[in-house]
Every structure is written in C-alpha cells, then in structure tokens.
Amino acid sequence: KVQEVTNYINYALNNKGYKLEDLKFDPADFVKYAETYNFSLPLMLAQAHLESCFGMTPRAQKTNSMFSVGLYDSGKNICTFSNQSESIGNYIRTMQKYYLNNKTIDDLLSPNGFVNDQGKRYASDSNYESKIKNVMARIEKMCPSITK
C-alpha cells in the first residue's frame, strides 16, 4: 500500500511540476492514519490531491493544512498545523465528526452531498463531488491494493 500511495503521489506531483523529495511528510502517514482511524484511503488521497497537491501549494506550505481544513476562500485561515502530518489526523476527525456522521462516502459524493451536519459545504466548488469521484477512480485504478 505504501509503495502504491507513494507512486500515486509522485504521479500527481509530477503533473504539477513538483518533486517527491520536496514533500514535508512521509507518504506512509496516509496509510498509517487510514488504518488507525478505519478511514477511506482513496477519499483521503483524493482530497489531499485536489485541495493542495499533497501540501505543495503556497497556502498549504504556509498553514501545513493539506486538506484546506480551516481555510476559507476569503483568505482567512483559522487552522494552522505544526506539520503536515498533523493535518491528516485533524482532517480525519473533522470528516468523521461533521461530514460522515450518519452518512456514507457515497452520500458525500452524490451531487451537492459534500456538506457537514450544519449544511455547510466542504468546498465552494459546485463540481467538488464529481472531481473527488474522478480522482478516487484514478487512485483506485493506480493503487489496486487500496479499497474504499
């Protein structure tokens, strides 16, 4: 799993002109957190990919928030982390408490389904759900040992 995750992250980084050796975290952290919290590795990878290209965007470099948790389109940042690995645990707890509470991943990925228990969207992009689904499908194809 770790090798497949690393290969996928490398693929995603190369497509944006980034290099694997510039990551601020160990790709094995994704596998470790997914297994520890019984969380969907494809969903986690897809969101880290779309939100910050695995922590490589300037904002993610500044806040260490790979998943844009606590970051708003207005530029306001209410969450920063001491390192990017720390943002993985926070992301999972946020998803489990507010987004997957009484929902499945399929519910989240339905049109306009990516909303929290207060009815607020995770992302302002109206196509967020379909983008996540497309990235997850690519991840599952490239990483056959990973399941939902």
Side-chain angles (χ1 to χ4, degrees):
K1 286 183 182 181
V2 171
Q3 189 59 56
E4 287 181 356
V5 166
T6 302
N7 291 345
Y8 179 77
I9 291 172
N10 189 46
Y11 157 82
L13 294 176
N14 284 334
N15 281 341
K16 293 288 186 177
Y18 299 119
K19 295 180 180 162
L20 190 64
E21 56 268 17
D22 294 330
L23 288 179
K24 290 176 147 183
F25 67 94
D26 182 344
D29 290 347
F30 278 100
V31 176
K32 178 182 78 175
Y33 276 96
E35 290 175 352
T36 299
Y37 289 94
N38 191 29
F39 194 81
S40 168
L41 190 50
L43 177 62
M44 185 187 326
L45 291 168
Q47 287 195 266
H49 182 172
L50 284 180
E51 292 293 335
S52 71
C53 198
F54 297 99
M56 298 305 291
T57 62
R59 197 166 184 195
Q61 292 283 307
K62 179 181 174 185
T63 62
N64 285 322
S65 183
M66 279 194 280
F67 302 92
S68 298
V69 172
L71 309 183
Y72 293 89
D73 290 347
S74 68
K76 183 178 180 181
N77 302 329
I78 63 167
C79 268
T80 58
F81 301 94
S82 59
N83 60 63
Q84 290 186 345
S85 291
E86 183 181 279
S87 77
I88 299 171
N90 176 273
Y91 155 79
I92 292 173
R93 289 185 297 276
T94 298
M95 290 297 295
Q96 289 175 331
K97 184 173 182 180
Y98 300 108
Y99 291 89
L100 289 168
N101 186 13
N102 298 318
K103 284 187 179 179
T104 66
I105 291 172
D106 287 337
D107 292 335
L108 280 184
L109 298 177
S110 65
N112 298 309
F114 225 111
V115 295
N116 66 17
D117 57 357
Q118 299 168 355
K120 296 185 180 178
R121 287 186 59 75
Y122 187 93
S124 58
D125 183 344
S126 61
N127 295 314
Y128 192 70
E129 294 84 358
S130 66
K131 288 177 180 179
I132 292 290
K133 283 170 73 169
N134 289 340
V135 174
M136 285 177 68
R138 187 177 319 120
I139 289 166
E140 290 170 353
K141 188 175 187 177
M142 292 177 69
C143 306
S145 69
I146 297 172
T147 59
K148 284 186 179 180

